[in-house]
Amino acid sequence: MAPRLAGGGGAVSTVGRRLLEIRHVSKTYGSGDSATHAIADVSFAVDDREFVCVVGPSGCGKTTLLKCVGGLLAPTNGDILLRGTRVTSPPEEMALVFQEYGRSLMPWSTVRNNVLLPLRHKKLTRQKRNALVEEALEAVGLTPFIDRYPWQLSGGMQQRVAIARALAYQPAILLMDEPFASVDAQTRGDLEDLILRVREEFAITILFVTHDIDESVYLSDRVIVLTHGPTEVKASIDVDLPFPRDQIATKELPDFAHLRGHVYRLINREQVESGEELAATLKTATKGDRP
Amino acid sequence: MAAIAAEIAVPLLILAAWQAWTVHANDPLFPRLSTILVQFKEMWLFSQFHLHVVPSLIRIGAGFTLAVIIGLIIGIPLGLSRWGRLLAMPHIEWWRAMPPPALLPISILLLHSIGDRQKISFIAFFCLFPILLNTIDGVRGIDPTLIETTRSYGVGGFERIRRVVLPAALPQIFAGMRTSLSLAVIMMVLTEYFSSTSGVGYVLLISKNTFQLAPMWAAIVLIGVLGYLLNVLLILVERRVLAWHRGWRAAAAQ
Ligand SMILES: Nc1ncnc2c1ncn2[C@@H]1O[C@H](COP(=O)(O)OP(=O)(O)OP(=O)(O)O)[C@@H](O)[C@H]1O
Ligand SMILES: [Mg+2]
Protein backbone atom coordinates (compact mmCIF):
# COMPACT_ATOMS: atom_id res chain seq x y z
CA MET A 1 0.00 0.00 0.00
CA ALA A 2 1.31 3.41 -0.87
CA PRO A 3 2.05 5.79 1.96
CA ARG A 4 -0.61 8.43 2.44
CA LEU A 5 1.50 11.53 2.47
CA ALA A 6 -1.12 14.20 2.49
CA GLY A 7 -4.11 12.38 3.78
CA GLY A 8 -6.50 13.97 6.23
CA GLY A 9 -5.16 17.48 5.99
CA GLY A 10 -4.63 17.85 9.74
CA ALA A 11 -3.52 21.26 11.02
CA VAL A 12 0.21 20.81 11.45
CA SER A 13 2.82 23.53 11.58
CA THR A 14 3.59 23.25 7.88
CA VAL A 15 0.07 24.24 6.88
CA GLY A 16 0.97 27.86 6.23
CA ARG A 17 3.69 26.80 3.83
CA ARG A 18 1.70 24.20 1.98
CA LEU A 19 1.10 25.34 -1.59
CA LEU A 20 -0.30 22.36 -3.39
CA GLU A 21 -2.16 19.36 -2.12
CA ILE A 22 -3.09 16.32 -4.15
CA ARG A 23 -5.72 14.32 -2.29
CA HIS A 24 -6.66 10.80 -3.31
CA VAL A 25 -6.67 11.65 -6.97
CA SER A 26 -7.66 8.95 -9.41
CA LYS A 27 -8.22 9.14 -13.12
CA THR A 28 -9.93 6.72 -15.46
CA TYR A 29 -10.05 7.40 -19.17
CA GLY A 30 -13.19 6.26 -20.93
CA SER A 31 -15.72 3.90 -19.42
CA GLY A 32 -16.94 0.33 -19.64
CA ASP A 33 -14.72 -2.23 -21.37
CA SER A 34 -12.45 0.33 -22.97
CA ALA A 35 -11.70 2.15 -19.70
CA THR A 36 -8.05 2.82 -18.84
CA HIS A 37 -7.29 3.20 -15.16
CA ALA A 38 -4.37 5.57 -15.44
CA ILE A 39 -4.18 6.72 -11.81
CA ALA A 40 -5.51 4.61 -8.95
CA ASP A 41 -4.98 6.80 -5.89
CA VAL A 42 -2.30 9.44 -5.55
CA SER A 43 -1.84 11.78 -2.62
CA PHE A 44 1.03 14.09 -1.77
CA ALA A 45 1.66 17.72 -1.01
CA VAL A 46 4.13 20.32 -2.18
CA ASP A 47 5.32 23.12 0.07
CA ASP A 48 5.92 26.68 -0.98
CA ARG A 49 9.26 27.01 -2.84
CA GLU A 50 9.86 23.29 -2.73
CA PHE A 51 11.27 21.42 -5.74
CA VAL A 52 9.50 18.07 -6.01
CA CYS A 53 10.33 15.50 -8.66
CA VAL A 54 7.87 12.77 -9.59
CA VAL A 55 9.45 9.67 -11.08
CA GLY A 56 7.73 6.65 -12.42
CA PRO A 57 7.98 4.13 -15.21
CA SER A 58 6.99 5.08 -18.73
CA GLY A 59 3.26 5.14 -19.29
CA CYS A 60 2.40 5.07 -15.58
CA GLY A 61 0.30 8.21 -15.76
CA LYS A 62 2.72 11.04 -15.03
CA THR A 63 1.40 13.29 -17.77
CA THR A 64 -2.14 12.50 -16.72
CA LEU A 65 -1.35 13.46 -13.14
CA LEU A 66 0.25 16.73 -14.17
CA LYS A 67 -2.69 17.63 -16.39
CA CYS A 68 -5.02 17.01 -13.48
CA VAL A 69 -2.87 19.18 -11.22
CA GLY A 70 -2.79 21.90 -13.88
CA GLY A 71 -6.57 21.93 -14.18
CA LEU A 72 -6.57 20.67 -17.76
CA LEU A 73 -8.16 17.35 -16.85
CA ALA A 74 -10.77 16.72 -14.20
CA PRO A 75 -9.73 13.87 -11.89
CA THR A 76 -12.26 11.05 -11.70
CA ASN A 77 -12.04 11.20 -7.92
CA GLY A 78 -10.16 13.25 -5.41
CA ASP A 79 -9.15 16.88 -5.20
CA ILE A 80 -6.33 19.14 -6.19
CA LEU A 81 -5.95 22.04 -3.77
CA LEU A 82 -3.90 25.12 -4.50
CA ARG A 83 -3.48 27.17 -1.31
CA GLY A 84 -6.50 25.30 -0.02
CA THR A 85 -8.73 26.14 -2.99
CA ARG A 86 -9.97 23.41 -5.27
CA VAL A 87 -8.54 23.50 -8.78
CA THR A 88 -11.29 23.11 -11.38
CA SER A 89 -9.75 25.00 -14.29
CA PRO A 90 -6.20 26.12 -15.06
CA PRO A 91 -5.28 28.54 -12.25
CA GLU A 92 -3.37 31.72 -12.94
CA GLU A 93 -0.80 30.72 -10.36
CA MET A 94 0.32 27.71 -12.36
CA ALA A 95 2.28 27.38 -15.56
CA LEU A 96 2.76 24.10 -17.39
CA VAL A 97 5.75 23.24 -19.53
CA PHE A 98 4.97 20.36 -21.84
CA GLN A 99 7.04 17.39 -22.87
CA GLU A 100 6.70 18.28 -26.56
CA TYR A 101 8.21 21.74 -26.57
CA GLY A 102 8.21 21.98 -30.36
CA ARG A 103 4.46 21.55 -30.46
CA SER A 104 3.62 23.92 -27.64
CA LEU A 105 5.25 26.91 -29.36
CA MET A 106 3.53 28.83 -32.15
CA PRO A 107 5.60 28.64 -35.33
CA TRP A 108 3.93 31.78 -36.73
CA SER A 109 5.09 33.95 -33.83
CA THR A 110 8.53 35.19 -32.92
CA VAL A 111 10.13 34.14 -29.65
CA ARG A 112 8.99 37.46 -28.17
CA ASN A 113 5.36 36.96 -29.17
CA ASN A 114 5.37 33.37 -27.98
CA VAL A 115 6.45 34.50 -24.53
CA LEU A 116 4.04 37.42 -24.68
CA LEU A 117 0.98 35.29 -25.52
CA PRO A 118 -0.12 34.42 -21.96
CA LEU A 119 0.53 37.98 -20.78
CA ARG A 120 -1.76 39.66 -23.29
CA HIS A 121 -4.90 39.07 -21.29
CA LYS A 122 -3.32 39.99 -17.97
CA LYS A 123 -4.02 43.45 -16.66
CA LEU A 124 -0.56 44.89 -17.08
CA THR A 125 0.84 47.95 -18.74
CA ARG A 126 2.60 47.52 -22.04
CA GLN A 127 5.94 48.39 -20.47
CA LYS A 128 5.45 45.89 -17.67
CA ARG A 129 4.58 43.18 -20.18
CA ASN A 130 7.63 43.84 -22.30
CA ALA A 131 9.80 43.99 -19.21
CA LEU A 132 8.52 40.58 -18.08
CA VAL A 133 9.17 39.06 -21.49
CA GLU A 134 12.67 40.48 -21.69
CA GLU A 135 13.51 39.50 -18.13
CA ALA A 136 12.35 35.92 -18.68
CA LEU A 137 14.28 35.57 -21.92
CA GLU A 138 17.32 37.08 -20.26
CA ALA A 139 17.05 34.47 -17.49
CA VAL A 140 17.18 31.62 -20.00
CA GLY A 141 19.88 33.32 -22.07
CA LEU A 142 17.84 33.90 -25.20
CA THR A 143 17.96 37.68 -25.41
CA PRO A 144 19.81 37.66 -28.75
CA PHE A 145 17.13 35.44 -30.27
CA ILE A 146 14.10 37.43 -29.22
CA ASP A 147 13.04 38.27 -32.77
CA ARG A 148 13.70 34.83 -34.24
CA TYR A 149 11.07 32.20 -34.90
CA PRO A 150 11.06 29.04 -32.75
CA TRP A 151 11.84 26.82 -35.72
CA GLN A 152 15.03 28.76 -36.27
CA LEU A 153 16.28 27.54 -32.90
CA SER A 154 17.68 24.23 -31.66
CA GLY A 155 15.58 21.85 -29.56
CA GLY A 156 17.21 22.93 -26.31
CA MET A 157 16.65 26.59 -27.15
CA GLN A 158 13.00 25.93 -27.99
CA GLN A 159 12.54 24.33 -24.60
CA ARG A 160 14.13 27.42 -23.07
CA VAL A 161 11.56 29.56 -24.87
CA ALA A 162 8.82 27.42 -23.34
CA ILE A 163 10.44 27.85 -19.91
CA ALA A 164 10.74 31.61 -20.41
CA ARG A 165 7.08 31.78 -21.35
CA ALA A 166 6.18 29.98 -18.13
CA LEU A 167 8.41 32.29 -16.06
CA ALA A 168 7.06 35.47 -17.62
CA TYR A 169 3.58 34.33 -16.60
CA GLN A 170 4.78 34.71 -12.98
CA PRO A 171 3.28 31.54 -11.57
CA ALA A 172 3.68 30.49 -7.97
CA ILE A 173 4.21 26.93 -9.14
CA LEU A 174 5.79 25.60 -12.28
CA LEU A 175 4.62 22.21 -13.55
CA MET A 176 7.08 20.51 -15.86
CA ASP A 177 6.40 17.32 -17.79
CA GLU A 178 9.65 15.59 -18.74
CA PRO A 179 10.83 18.88 -20.18
CA PHE A 180 14.31 17.64 -21.03
CA ALA A 181 13.46 14.17 -22.30
CA SER A 182 14.13 14.91 -25.94
CA VAL A 183 17.35 16.90 -25.86
CA ASP A 184 20.92 15.58 -25.93
CA ALA A 185 22.81 14.82 -22.70
CA GLN A 186 24.99 17.94 -22.70
CA THR A 187 22.03 20.27 -23.31
CA ARG A 188 20.09 18.40 -20.71
CA GLY A 189 22.71 19.05 -18.05
CA ASP A 190 22.75 22.74 -19.00
CA LEU A 191 18.96 22.95 -18.82
CA GLU A 192 18.93 21.24 -15.43
CA ASP A 193 21.34 23.84 -14.06
CA LEU A 194 19.30 26.57 -15.72
CA ILE A 195 16.14 25.45 -13.99
CA LEU A 196 17.90 25.32 -10.62
CA ARG A 197 19.21 28.85 -11.12
CA VAL A 198 15.84 30.15 -12.29
CA ARG A 199 14.18 28.58 -9.30
CA GLU A 200 16.40 30.66 -6.99
CA GLU A 201 16.06 33.80 -9.05
CA PHE A 202 12.26 33.68 -9.32
CA ALA A 203 11.61 32.09 -5.90
CA ILE A 204 9.34 29.55 -7.53
CA THR A 205 7.87 26.19 -6.54
CA ILE A 206 8.45 23.39 -9.03
CA LEU A 207 6.69 20.08 -9.60
CA PHE A 208 8.84 18.24 -12.07
CA VAL A 209 7.92 14.96 -13.76
CA THR A 210 10.65 12.77 -15.18
CA HIS A 211 11.50 9.14 -15.71
CA ASP A 212 15.19 9.84 -15.28
CA ILE A 213 16.25 8.88 -11.74
CA ASP A 214 19.55 10.78 -11.79
CA GLU A 215 17.76 13.88 -12.90
CA SER A 216 15.15 13.60 -10.18
CA VAL A 217 17.75 13.28 -7.41
CA TYR A 218 20.02 15.95 -8.83
CA LEU A 219 17.27 18.58 -9.11
CA SER A 220 14.93 18.12 -6.23
CA ASP A 221 14.31 18.57 -2.54
CA ARG A 222 12.10 15.50 -2.59
CA VAL A 223 11.45 12.62 -4.96
CA ILE A 224 8.02 11.02 -5.20
CA VAL A 225 8.20 7.52 -6.66
CA LEU A 226 5.11 6.26 -8.47
CA THR A 227 4.11 2.67 -9.08
CA HIS A 228 3.15 1.11 -12.38
CA GLY A 229 -0.31 1.99 -13.65
CA PRO A 230 -2.90 2.11 -12.17
CA THR A 231 -0.66 4.50 -10.32
CA GLU A 232 -0.17 5.04 -6.62
CA VAL A 233 2.58 6.73 -4.64
CA LYS A 234 5.24 4.20 -3.75
CA ALA A 235 7.52 6.40 -1.65
CA SER A 236 8.52 9.93 -0.90
CA ILE A 237 12.25 10.44 -0.42
CA ASP A 238 13.83 13.58 0.97
CA VAL A 239 16.91 14.70 -0.89
CA ASP A 240 19.24 16.46 1.50
CA LEU A 241 22.00 17.27 -0.94
CA PRO A 242 23.59 20.69 -0.50
CA PHE A 243 22.89 23.65 -2.78
CA PRO A 244 24.11 24.96 -5.13
CA ARG A 245 24.18 21.69 -7.01
CA ASP A 246 26.87 20.94 -9.50
CA GLN A 247 26.79 18.43 -12.32
CA ILE A 248 30.13 16.91 -11.31
CA ALA A 249 30.61 17.61 -7.60
CA THR A 250 27.04 16.81 -6.54
CA LYS A 251 26.95 13.60 -8.53
CA GLU A 252 30.22 12.46 -6.92
CA LEU A 253 28.82 12.79 -3.41
CA PRO A 254 28.29 9.48 -1.63
CA ASP A 255 24.85 10.74 -0.61
CA PHE A 256 23.92 11.22 -4.23
CA ALA A 257 24.94 7.68 -5.10
CA HIS A 258 23.08 6.41 -2.09
CA LEU A 259 19.84 8.26 -2.92
CA ARG A 260 20.04 7.35 -6.54
CA GLY A 261 20.50 3.70 -5.63
CA HIS A 262 17.58 3.89 -3.26
CA VAL A 263 15.23 5.24 -5.91
CA TYR A 264 16.56 2.74 -8.45
CA ARG A 265 15.83 -0.15 -6.12
CA LEU A 266 12.33 1.13 -5.44
CA ILE A 267 11.57 1.34 -9.14
CA ASN A 268 13.28 -1.96 -9.94
CA ARG A 269 11.39 -3.79 -7.25
CA GLU A 270 8.31 -2.19 -8.69
CA GLN A 271 9.13 -3.65 -12.06
CA VAL A 272 9.88 -7.07 -10.61
CA GLU A 273 6.61 -7.02 -8.69
CA SER A 274 4.56 -6.03 -11.69
CA GLY A 275 6.40 -8.72 -13.67
CA GLU A 276 5.44 -11.30 -11.03
CA GLU A 277 1.92 -10.02 -11.07
CA LEU A 278 1.80 -10.47 -14.81
CA ALA A 279 3.23 -13.97 -14.53
CA ALA A 280 0.64 -14.79 -11.85
CA THR A 281 -2.20 -13.53 -14.00
CA LEU A 282 -0.91 -15.52 -16.94
CA LYS A 283 -0.66 -18.63 -14.77
CA THR A 284 -4.21 -18.33 -13.48
CA ALA A 285 -5.39 -17.62 -17.00
CA THR A 286 -3.79 -20.79 -18.35
CA LYS A 287 -5.06 -22.78 -15.39
CA GLY A 288 -8.52 -21.47 -15.97
CA ASP A 289 -8.35 -22.61 -19.57
CA ARG A 290 -7.74 -26.19 -18.58
CA PRO A 291 -10.70 -28.41 -17.92
CA MET B 1 15.95 33.17 -63.10
CA ALA B 2 15.75 30.21 -65.45
CA ALA B 3 12.31 29.42 -64.08
CA ILE B 4 11.02 32.92 -64.83
CA ALA B 5 12.54 32.76 -68.33
CA ALA B 6 10.71 29.48 -68.95
CA GLU B 7 7.48 30.93 -67.56
CA ILE B 8 7.69 33.70 -70.14
CA ALA B 9 9.22 31.76 -73.03
CA VAL B 10 6.71 28.92 -73.19
CA PRO B 11 3.60 31.13 -73.55
CA LEU B 12 5.41 33.21 -76.16
CA LEU B 13 6.14 30.07 -78.15
CA ILE B 14 2.52 29.00 -77.93
CA LEU B 15 1.36 32.43 -79.06
CA ALA B 16 3.76 32.30 -82.00
CA ALA B 17 2.39 28.91 -82.99
CA TRP B 18 -1.15 30.22 -82.66
CA GLN B 19 -0.38 33.17 -84.91
CA ALA B 20 1.29 30.92 -87.50
CA TRP B 21 -1.63 28.52 -87.48
CA THR B 22 -4.36 31.20 -87.76
CA VAL B 23 -2.52 32.86 -90.65
CA HIS B 24 -2.23 29.50 -92.35
CA ALA B 25 -5.82 28.32 -91.67
CA ASN B 26 -7.47 31.61 -92.60
CA ASP B 27 -10.70 30.46 -90.89
CA PRO B 28 -13.14 33.27 -90.00
CA LEU B 29 -14.04 31.46 -86.76
CA PHE B 30 -10.41 31.72 -85.72
CA PRO B 31 -9.22 35.24 -86.49
CA ARG B 32 -5.52 35.84 -86.63
CA LEU B 33 -3.89 36.26 -83.27
CA SER B 34 -2.55 39.62 -84.38
CA THR B 35 -6.12 40.72 -85.18
CA ILE B 36 -7.29 39.55 -81.76
CA LEU B 37 -4.46 41.36 -80.02
CA VAL B 38 -5.19 44.59 -81.86
CA GLN B 39 -8.82 44.18 -80.88
CA PHE B 40 -7.74 43.43 -77.32
CA LYS B 41 -5.74 46.62 -77.16
CA GLU B 42 -8.56 48.67 -78.62
CA MET B 43 -11.19 47.34 -76.26
CA TRP B 44 -9.43 46.71 -73.02
CA LEU B 45 -6.50 49.12 -73.00
CA PHE B 46 -8.41 51.09 -71.90
CA SER B 47 -11.42 52.41 -73.79
CA GLN B 48 -13.88 49.83 -72.47
CA PHE B 49 -11.91 48.94 -69.37
CA HIS B 50 -13.98 51.14 -67.16
CA LEU B 51 -17.26 50.10 -68.76
CA HIS B 52 -16.82 46.32 -68.60
CA VAL B 53 -13.66 45.17 -66.82
CA VAL B 54 -14.13 47.26 -63.70
CA PRO B 55 -17.67 45.94 -63.03
CA SER B 56 -16.44 42.38 -63.50
CA LEU B 57 -13.54 42.95 -61.11
CA ILE B 58 -15.83 44.53 -58.55
CA ARG B 59 -18.14 41.53 -58.70
CA ILE B 60 -15.26 39.08 -58.30
CA GLY B 61 -13.71 41.14 -55.52
CA ALA B 62 -16.92 41.62 -53.59
CA GLY B 63 -18.12 38.03 -54.02
CA PHE B 64 -14.77 36.58 -53.06
CA THR B 65 -14.31 38.86 -50.05
CA LEU B 66 -17.79 38.08 -48.84
CA ALA B 67 -17.07 34.37 -49.18
CA VAL B 68 -13.86 34.70 -47.15
CA ILE B 69 -15.58 36.64 -44.38
CA ILE B 70 -18.55 34.29 -44.14
CA GLY B 71 -16.29 31.26 -44.48
CA LEU B 72 -14.22 32.35 -41.50
CA ILE B 73 -17.18 33.41 -39.38
CA ILE B 74 -18.92 30.07 -39.86
CA GLY B 75 -15.87 27.88 -40.32
CA ILE B 76 -13.91 28.74 -37.18
CA PRO B 77 -16.74 27.94 -34.70
CA LEU B 78 -17.57 24.77 -36.62
CA GLY B 79 -13.93 23.72 -36.57
CA LEU B 80 -13.88 24.17 -32.81
CA SER B 81 -17.18 22.45 -32.08
CA ARG B 82 -17.79 18.78 -32.70
CA TRP B 83 -21.51 19.24 -32.12
CA GLY B 84 -21.66 22.14 -34.49
CA ARG B 85 -20.07 20.03 -37.20
CA LEU B 86 -22.41 17.15 -36.55
CA LEU B 87 -25.37 19.45 -37.10
CA ALA B 88 -24.04 21.53 -39.96
CA MET B 89 -21.99 19.18 -42.13
CA PRO B 90 -24.88 17.42 -43.93
CA HIS B 91 -26.29 20.80 -44.99
CA ILE B 92 -22.94 22.06 -46.13
CA GLU B 93 -22.30 18.90 -48.14
CA TRP B 94 -25.73 19.11 -49.72
CA TRP B 95 -25.35 22.69 -50.92
CA ARG B 96 -21.81 22.08 -51.98
CA ALA B 97 -22.92 19.30 -54.32
CA MET B 98 -25.29 21.66 -56.12
CA PRO B 99 -24.10 22.54 -59.63
CA PRO B 100 -23.98 26.33 -60.08
CA PRO B 101 -26.03 26.47 -63.30
CA ALA B 102 -28.89 24.80 -61.44
CA LEU B 103 -29.09 27.68 -59.01
CA LEU B 104 -28.53 30.57 -61.35
CA PRO B 105 -32.16 31.01 -62.49
CA ILE B 106 -33.37 30.60 -58.92
CA SER B 107 -30.91 33.17 -57.65
CA ILE B 108 -32.32 35.70 -60.10
CA LEU B 109 -35.83 34.93 -58.92
CA LEU B 110 -35.07 34.86 -55.22
CA LEU B 111 -33.08 38.03 -55.14
CA HIS B 112 -35.57 39.88 -57.36
CA SER B 113 -32.64 41.38 -59.05
CA ILE B 114 -30.51 41.04 -62.12
CA GLY B 115 -28.10 43.62 -60.84
CA ASP B 116 -24.86 43.43 -58.92
CA ARG B 117 -26.49 42.22 -55.73
CA GLN B 118 -27.61 38.99 -57.37
CA LYS B 119 -24.31 38.48 -59.16
CA ILE B 120 -22.19 39.13 -56.09
CA SER B 121 -24.29 36.84 -53.87
CA PHE B 122 -24.12 34.12 -56.48
CA ILE B 123 -20.33 34.36 -56.75
CA ALA B 124 -20.00 34.50 -52.95
CA PHE B 125 -22.23 31.47 -52.48
CA PHE B 126 -20.13 29.16 -54.62
CA CYS B 127 -16.81 30.59 -53.44
CA LEU B 128 -17.88 29.95 -49.88
CA PHE B 129 -17.58 26.16 -49.86
CA PRO B 130 -13.87 25.66 -50.54
CA ILE B 131 -13.03 28.33 -47.97
CA LEU B 132 -15.51 27.04 -45.43
CA LEU B 133 -14.45 23.40 -45.67
CA ASN B 134 -10.77 24.28 -45.57
CA THR B 135 -11.29 26.56 -42.58
CA ILE B 136 -13.11 23.79 -40.69
CA ASP B 137 -10.36 21.31 -41.53
CA GLY B 138 -7.60 23.75 -40.69
CA VAL B 139 -9.09 24.58 -37.31
CA ARG B 140 -9.66 20.91 -36.52
CA GLY B 141 -6.07 20.13 -37.38
CA ILE B 142 -4.55 22.40 -34.73
CA ASP B 143 -2.05 20.58 -32.57
CA PRO B 144 -3.81 19.51 -29.35
CA THR B 145 -0.68 20.39 -27.38
CA LEU B 146 -1.01 23.96 -28.56
CA ILE B 147 -4.67 24.07 -27.60
CA GLU B 148 -3.81 22.74 -24.14
CA THR B 149 -1.04 25.30 -23.83
CA THR B 150 -3.41 28.18 -24.54
CA ARG B 151 -5.92 26.67 -22.15
CA SER B 152 -3.42 26.28 -19.34
CA TYR B 153 -2.38 29.91 -19.76
CA GLY B 154 -5.99 31.04 -19.70
CA VAL B 155 -5.82 32.44 -23.24
CA GLY B 156 -9.41 32.45 -24.40
CA GLY B 157 -12.03 34.17 -26.48
CA PHE B 158 -11.02 36.51 -29.23
CA GLU B 159 -7.36 36.47 -28.26
CA ARG B 160 -7.24 32.71 -28.73
CA ILE B 161 -8.92 32.92 -32.14
CA ARG B 162 -6.73 35.74 -33.30
CA ARG B 163 -3.35 34.60 -32.01
CA VAL B 164 -3.65 30.83 -32.18
CA VAL B 165 -6.61 29.36 -34.04
CA LEU B 166 -6.65 31.59 -37.09
CA PRO B 167 -2.89 31.58 -37.74
CA ALA B 168 -2.77 27.81 -37.29
CA ALA B 169 -5.54 27.29 -39.84
CA LEU B 170 -4.32 29.94 -42.25
CA PRO B 171 -2.21 27.75 -44.54
CA GLN B 172 -5.22 25.61 -45.24
CA ILE B 173 -7.53 28.60 -45.52
CA PHE B 174 -5.28 29.98 -48.24
CA ALA B 175 -5.49 26.68 -50.11
CA GLY B 176 -9.26 27.08 -50.04
CA MET B 177 -9.02 30.69 -51.16
CA ARG B 178 -7.02 29.73 -54.23
CA THR B 179 -9.69 27.26 -55.29
CA SER B 180 -12.37 29.85 -54.58
CA LEU B 181 -10.71 32.58 -56.56
CA SER B 182 -10.70 30.53 -59.74
CA LEU B 183 -14.34 29.66 -59.04
CA ALA B 184 -15.07 33.37 -58.66
CA VAL B 185 -13.86 34.02 -62.22
CA ILE B 186 -16.03 31.20 -63.55
CA MET B 187 -19.08 32.45 -61.65
CA MET B 188 -18.45 36.01 -62.78
CA VAL B 189 -18.62 34.97 -66.45
CA LEU B 190 -21.65 32.77 -65.83
CA THR B 191 -23.69 35.44 -64.06
CA GLU B 192 -22.82 37.99 -66.68
CA TYR B 193 -24.30 35.77 -69.37
CA PHE B 194 -27.69 36.37 -67.80
CA SER B 195 -29.55 39.67 -67.83
CA SER B 196 -26.50 41.85 -67.85
CA THR B 197 -25.62 45.16 -69.34
CA SER B 198 -21.98 45.21 -68.40
CA GLY B 199 -19.04 42.96 -67.71
CA VAL B 200 -16.57 40.83 -69.59
CA GLY B 201 -18.95 37.87 -69.77
CA TYR B 202 -21.62 40.14 -71.19
CA VAL B 203 -19.24 41.39 -73.91
CA LEU B 204 -18.28 37.82 -74.71
CA LEU B 205 -21.89 36.74 -75.14
CA ILE B 206 -22.98 39.79 -77.15
CA SER B 207 -19.98 39.52 -79.47
CA LYS B 208 -20.78 35.88 -80.11
CA ASN B 209 -24.44 36.61 -80.79
CA THR B 210 -23.55 39.33 -83.29
CA PHE B 211 -20.80 37.27 -84.92
CA GLN B 212 -18.09 39.72 -83.95
CA LEU B 213 -15.42 37.12 -83.58
CA ALA B 214 -12.38 39.26 -82.91
CA PRO B 215 -14.04 41.01 -79.91
CA MET B 216 -15.27 37.62 -78.71
CA TRP B 217 -11.75 36.23 -78.77
CA ALA B 218 -10.43 39.39 -77.15
CA ALA B 219 -12.88 38.82 -74.31
CA ILE B 220 -11.78 35.20 -73.94
CA VAL B 221 -8.15 36.23 -73.80
CA LEU B 222 -8.98 38.86 -71.21
CA ILE B 223 -10.78 36.35 -68.99
CA GLY B 224 -7.73 34.12 -69.07
CA VAL B 225 -5.42 37.00 -68.26
CA LEU B 226 -7.65 38.15 -65.40
CA GLY B 227 -7.77 34.69 -63.87
CA TYR B 228 -4.03 34.37 -64.12
CA LEU B 229 -3.24 37.77 -62.65
CA LEU B 230 -5.71 37.36 -59.79
CA ASN B 231 -4.08 34.07 -58.88
CA VAL B 232 -0.62 35.64 -58.97
CA LEU B 233 -1.86 38.40 -56.70
CA LEU B 234 -3.24 35.90 -54.20
CA ILE B 235 -0.02 33.91 -54.23
CA LEU B 236 1.97 37.07 -53.53
CA VAL B 237 -0.27 37.86 -50.58
CA GLU B 238 0.04 34.29 -49.35
CA ARG B 239 3.83 34.39 -49.55
CA ARG B 240 3.88 37.48 -47.40
CA VAL B 241 1.35 36.32 -44.86
CA LEU B 242 2.62 32.75 -44.63
CA ALA B 243 6.35 33.42 -44.75
CA TRP B 244 6.65 31.60 -41.42
CA HIS B 245 4.97 28.52 -42.86
CA ARG B 246 7.60 27.97 -45.53
CA GLY B 247 10.40 28.43 -43.04
CA TRP B 248 8.75 26.14 -40.54
CA ARG B 249 8.16 23.40 -43.09
CA ALA B 250 11.71 23.64 -44.36
CA ALA B 251 12.97 23.35 -40.75
CA ALA B 252 10.66 20.40 -40.04
CA ALA B 253 11.82 18.59 -43.17
CA GLN B 254 15.45 18.53 -42.01
N1 LIG C 1 -6.59 10.76 -23.69
C1 LIG C 1 -6.43 9.49 -23.28
N2 LIG C 1 -7.40 8.58 -23.50
C2 LIG C 1 -7.27 7.30 -23.08
N3 LIG C 1 -6.18 6.84 -22.46
C3 LIG C 1 -5.16 7.67 -22.21
C4 LIG C 1 -5.23 9.05 -22.63
N4 LIG C 1 -4.08 9.65 -22.26
C5 LIG C 1 -3.34 8.70 -21.66
N5 LIG C 1 -3.98 7.52 -21.62
C6 LIG C 1 -3.48 6.29 -21.02
O1 LIG C 1 -3.21 6.55 -19.66
C7 LIG C 1 -2.01 5.92 -19.26
C8 LIG C 1 -1.05 6.94 -18.72
O2 LIG C 1 -0.63 7.84 -19.75
P1 LIG C 1 0.34 9.06 -19.48
O3 LIG C 1 0.58 9.73 -20.77
O4 LIG C 1 -0.22 9.88 -18.39
O5 LIG C 1 1.65 8.33 -18.98
P2 LIG C 1 3.12 8.93 -18.76
O6 LIG C 1 3.60 8.40 -17.48
O7 LIG C 1 3.12 10.39 -18.94
O8 LIG C 1 3.92 8.25 -19.93
P3 LIG C 1 5.30 8.70 -20.60
O9 LIG C 1 6.37 8.30 -19.64
O10 LIG C 1 5.35 7.90 -21.85
O11 LIG C 1 5.23 10.18 -20.84
C9 LIG C 1 -1.50 5.19 -20.49
O12 LIG C 1 -1.88 3.84 -20.38
C10 LIG C 1 -2.19 5.84 -21.63
O13 LIG C 1 -2.39 4.93 -22.66
MG1 LIG D 1 4.14 11.70 -20.29
Side-chain angles (χ1 to χ4, degrees), chain B residues 46-67:
Chain B
F46 288 88
S47 72
Q48 296 190 33
F49 189 84
H50 191 74
L51 197 60
H52 292 298
V53 183
V54 170
S56 291
L57 284 177
I58 289 175
R59 286 165 195 155
I60 292 180
F64 178 74
T65 309
L66 210 59

Side-chain angles (χ1 to χ4, degrees), chain A residues 125-144:
Chain A
T125 64
R126 199 192 174 85
Q127 287 94 322
K128 176 73 179 160
R129 247 175 236 157
N130 287 336
L132 282 172
V133 170
E134 278 153 27
E135 187 192 356
L137 284 168
E138 173 81 53
V140 299
L142 284 181
T143 306

Side-chain angles (χ1 to χ4, degrees), chain B residues 74-91:
Chain B
I74 305 180
I76 290 175
L78 285 185
L80 292 172
S81 152
R82 205 175 65 87
W83 268 101
R85 283 197 299 278
L86 228 55
L87 294 175
M89 277 328 271
H91 303 275

Side-chain angles (χ1 to χ4, degrees), chain A residues 111-184:
Chain A
V111 167
R112 178 196 292 278
N113 285 335
N114 264 286
V115 178
L116 195 56
L117 177 78
L119 302 185
R120 289 185 193 273
H121 67 279
K122 283 199 171 187
K123 285 195 177 59
L124 298 168
T125 64
R126 199 192 174 85
Q127 287 94 322
K128 176 73 179 160
R129 247 175 236 157
N130 287 336
L132 282 172
V133 170
E134 278 153 27
E135 187 192 356
L137 284 168
E138 173 81 53
V140 299
L142 284 181
T143 306
F145 302 95
I146 191 162
D147 290 317
R148 298 282 187 89
Y149 286 89
W151 39 266
Q152 293 174 317
L153 309 179
S154 70
M157 288 157 96
Q158 289 180 31
Q159 189 56 287
R160 270 146 67 193
V161 177
I163 293 170
R165 178 169 60 186
L167 292 174
Y169 193 60
Q170 296 183 293
I173 181 162
L174 192 56
L175 310 175
M176 305 184 86
D177 187 8
E178 303 194 42
F180 311 145
S182 40
V183 294
D184 61 89

Side-chain angles (χ1 to χ4, degrees), chain B residues 12-67:
Chain B
L12 284 181
L13 280 175
I14 292 173
L15 291 180
W18 185 358
Q19 169 70 0
W21 179 71
T22 47
V23 168
H24 169 79
N26 209 9
D27 182 337
L29 284 178
F30 295 96
R32 292 179 182 189
L33 177 61
S34 49
T35 316
I36 295 173
L37 290 181
V38 169
Q39 186 69 42
F40 186 94
K41 185 170 168 293
E42 261 173 31
M43 287 167 72
W44 306 133
L45 307 173
F46 288 88
S47 72
Q48 296 190 33
F49 189 84
H50 191 74
L51 197 60
H52 292 298
V53 183
V54 170
S56 291
L57 284 177
I58 289 175
R59 286 165 195 155
I60 292 180
F64 178 74
T65 309
L66 210 59

